[in-house]
Amino acid sequence: MKKPESIKLAGVLGNPISHSLSPHLHGFWINKYSVNGYYIPLLVNRTEIGKSLDALKTLGFRGANVTIPFKEEVIKYIDYISETDAKIGAVNTLSINIKGEITGLNTDVYGFLKNLEKSIPQWEKFVDNIVVIGAGGASRAVVSALKHKKIESKKIVNRSAQRANFIKDQIDENLEIISWSQLDEVLENCDLLINTTPLGMNGQPPLNIRVDLMNKGSIVYDLVYTPLETNLIKSAKENNLQTVSGLGMLIFQAIKGFEEWFGKKPQADEATSLFLKRILQ
Ligand code: NAP
């Protein structure tokens, strides 16, 4: 008798977790590619990420995504990580091999850049000056993604100077740290503005930035995708700027994990995006 194929398991570890779109996204691809598997949202006690990883190994999970607040702490518990991802100091994708060894990856770097390239293929031709708002985990991935691009100036502004300094020291020494009071002046010469803070997200205060000071045709990229159209994106559109939403980044960052766990490379196509947009509406 033919041995039945084993059921492939993966999930997302976080706290809170019910808001996560990842189970919808991976569930959509599991159906689309007829995978014999499940992707499960897993609420993890804040002090028990290590124990949770042991449980995943015991239960035969092939891996997991990691989200707030574990992306940094989880590094303590993994066996393999690339030098670049170790410098970023955060991983969002775990792969568990048959020996129970865990490899951690940061796929936000790829997701961020691929989404920008797909949304505005010509971006590198006219972007000389970039401003990044925020200096948390997502910002570290963004700065790392832009590090080797030929860009005249890259600036970062954050509430706490300490975290911005960390990014400059660890990831890109060419980064210039600016204060909020310098922002308006800097925006006049900014071709690409990137919001990596949760400001503008449902339940958070809006991010109030004078995008009207930016040149026509410049790009505003908001990593926040709930709501689909943030206030920042709305005002960028009103000022005839180009916009990039974080939803595409979410989709692109998920490709590598799905391929690792379920053995098929999913397409980040229009159908995937429409499916998620319907959930968010
Ligand atoms: P994080 O590590 O907690 O960092 C948050 C950043 O936002 C920090 O720089 C923090 O400043 C700043 N911030 C928070 N509240 C603020 C406020 N009221 N005023 C000013 N600054 C504030 O979070 P993260 O992991 O980087 O995630 C940030 C956002 O990116 C979240 O909304 C997340 O959903 C989104 N994200 C999206 C994707 C995607 O695929 N589209 C991927 C990753 C993350 P301090 O350093 O001063 O605290």
Side-chain angles (χ1 to χ4, degrees):
M1 201 176 86
K2 220 171 150 190
K3 204 176 161 199
E5 192 197 343
S6 66
I7 297 172
K8 300 176 174 94
L9 295 176
V12 54
L13 306 165
N15 187 336
I17 201 61
S18 58
H19 71 288
S20 174
L21 269 189
S22 294
H24 297 283
L25 171 57
H26 287 277
F28 177 77
W29 283 339
I30 282 171
N31 281 331
K32 182 172 175 186
Y33 298 102
S34 305
V35 170
N36 185 16
Y38 294 92
Y39 181 100
I40 303 156
L42 298 161
L43 179 67
V44 172
N45 190 314
R46 283 173 183 262
T47 57
E48 292 189 334
I49 184 67
K51 272 192 198 168
S52 305
L53 295 178
D54 287 342
L56 292 189
K57 292 179 197 176
T58 307
L59 295 169
F61 274 61
R62 293 174 173 232
N65 283 125
V66 185
T67 188
I68 289 173
F70 302 115
K71 284 185 180 183
E72 293 156 43
E73 192 193 348
V74 77
I75 292 181
K76 280 200 292 223
Y77 300 98
I78 65 182
D79 301 288
Y80 304 106
I81 183 169
S82 71
E83 205 178 307
T84 311
D85 289 351
K87 270 193 179 171
I88 294 171
V91 298
N92 64 337
T93 304
L94 306 177
S95 177
I96 305 174
N97 69 18
I98 45 168
K99 291 190 217 159
E101 294 164 330
I102 303 180
T103 300
L105 282 174
N106 188 312
T107 66
D108 281 338
V109 177
Y110 170 81
F112 164 78
L113 211 50
K114 192 73 191 166
N115 187 35
L116 179 56
E117 282 163 6
K118 191 177 173 199
S119 307
I120 304 174
Q122 307 293 315
W123 77 273
E124 280 186 81
K125 293 208 170 118
F126 67 91
V127 168
D128 290 322
N129 298 287
I130 297 182
V131 175
V132 178
I133 316 275
S139 172
R140 298 211 289 263
V142 166
V143 172
S144 182
L146 296 170
K147 182 176 173 173
H148 298 293
K149 297 287 176 191
K150 272 196 177 161
I151 290 156
E152 209 175 285
S153 100
K154 287 173 265 180
K155 299 185 171 66
I156 188 164
V157 57
N158 193 48
R159 188 173 53 181
S160 89
Q162 194 194 3
R163 286 180 101 183
N165 276 316
F166 175 89
I167 297 193
K168 185 178 166 77
D169 292 347
Q170 297 291 313
I171 303 174
D172 189 349
E173 60 183 16
N174 294 318
L175 211 53
E176 189 186 330
I177 300 171
I178 60 162
S179 63
W180 285 101
S181 61
Q182 292 172 286
L183 190 56
D184 283 0
E185 192 189 318
V186 161
L187 284 179
E188 287 174 16
N189 197 27
C190 169
D191 314 303
L192 171 57
L193 175 79
I194 306 157
N195 173 36
T196 75
T197 74
L199 294 172
M201 204 170 160
N202 289 334
Q204 293 274 342
L207 177 61
N208 293 317
I209 287 192
R210 295 272 320 267
V211 290
D212 59 300
L213 296 171
M214 294 172 71
N215 293 324
K216 268 194 185 148
S218 306
I219 308 169
V220 173
Y221 189 157
D222 198 343
L223 265 58
V224 174
Y225 53 83
T226 50
L228 265 175
E229 190 166 89
T230 59
N231 279 342
L232 180 69
I233 293 284
K234 226 179 259 171
S235 61
K237 284 182 179 169
E238 283 163 12
N239 284 282
N240 298 317
L241 306 180
Q242 304 187 75
T243 58
V244 183
S245 141
L247 189 67
M249 175 172 169
L250 175 85
I251 297 171
F252 281 114
Q253 64 77 34
I255 291 176
K256 180 78 182 158
F258 190 90
E259 196 180 5
E260 284 280 320
W261 311 317
F262 300 123
K264 293 190 178 161
K265 186 170 183 177
Q267 292 299 309
D269 54 11
E270 203 44 38
T272 307
S273 174
L274 275 175
F275 173 77
L276 293 179
K277 281 179 183 168
R278 261 185 238 122
I279 289 170
L280 288 173
Q281 271 158 6

